[in-house]
Amino acid sequence: MSVTPSFEPVAWPDDAEAAVAFLTGDGWPFHSTPHLGADEADEIEIAGDDIASFWIRVDGSNVGLIRVFDLDDVETGSPLFDLRITASYRGRGLGVIAVRWLTDHLFSSYEPLHRIEATTRDDNLAMQAVFSRCGYRLEGRFVEAWLNDDGSRADSLAYAILRREWAASAAGSATSNETA
């Protein structure tokens, strides 16, 4: 079953209560703290000078949240992002749609942006597949760098995409859509 999401900026501080409810209303198995309490969720930065966040909405409901960090460093650095999708929408292609949308949005909105980076745990095979399908390349493995809530450690995998790779991919998509 396919879904057609919309992506809308989180209105801060108006959406603060909705953000806490979203973050505490589901489990996040591939995040350091898979089950957040209200105090922990309230500490997660949703907005700021170098942070932008977007709701992923389907039929008017918040089914995902994208947070982008390090936006004050787009000329010389690389923003990172955090993607959370509710359990009922995982495995339905929403991750690919969201990462493609975010990649297009960032490269289209920030002309000096050269690259976008992302990380995931080595056991998050679904996110690794999303990165691959969206043109991100695996750039590194950080052994036991991810501290889990239970004290265990996982390897962290680093992915990235360059502007020129995104542009070539976008041109290829446009060509294949024209010939379809």
Side-chain angles (χ1 to χ4, degrees):
M1 175 189 299
S2 68
V3 294
T4 305
S6 64
F7 300 90
E8 300 173 27
V10 172
W12 200 259
D14 296 347
D15 284 348
E17 201 171 298
V20 169
F22 177 82
L23 291 167
T24 59
D26 212 325
W28 313 108
F30 294 105
H31 284 76
S32 296
T33 305
H35 299 283
L36 296 167
D39 289 341
E40 294 166 310
D42 195 43
E43 290 180 18
I44 292 177
E45 290 186 86
I46 302 291
D49 292 339
D50 68 339
I51 300 170
S53 296
F54 303 90
W55 291 115
I56 304 170
R57 291 196 168 132
V58 174
D59 297 329
S61 297
N62 296 333
V63 302
L65 178 66
I66 305 169
R67 295 180 311 128
V68 186
F69 312 93
D70 297 333
L71 288 171
D72 60 347
D73 196 25
V74 295
E75 291 187 25
T76 58
S78 305
L80 293 160
F81 65 90
D82 174 44
L83 173 63
R84 295 174 192 249
I85 297 173
T86 58
S88 60
Y89 279 86
R90 292 179 199 144
R92 298 172 65 179
L94 194 53
V96 170
I97 295 168
V99 171
R100 284 184 179 151
W101 175 85
L102 179 65
T103 305
D104 290 347
H105 172 74
L106 291 175
F107 281 128
S108 298
S109 300
Y110 299 94
E111 188 175 326
L113 180 61
H114 180 67
R115 58 185 277 128
I116 303 167
E117 297 177 6
T119 61
T120 192
R121 287 186 355 194
D122 67 336
D123 59 343
N124 190 345
L125 302 178
M127 196 67 214
Q128 292 172 50
V130 166
F131 288 140
S132 178
R133 288 189 60 198
C134 294
Y136 283 67
R137 114 190 54 66
L138 178 63
E139 291 193 331
R141 174 183 291 266
F142 303 101
V143 177
E144 296 183 6
W146 198 296
L147 180 62
N148 295 307
D149 195 39
D150 64 2
S152 66
R153 292 193 168 269
D155 290 0
S156 180
L157 303 178
Y159 286 81
I161 188 168
L162 301 176
R163 174 181 288 280
R164 69 175 175 263
E165 295 165 334
W166 164 77
S169 173
S173 294
T175 303
S176 65
N177 288 339
E178 291 170 6
T179 59

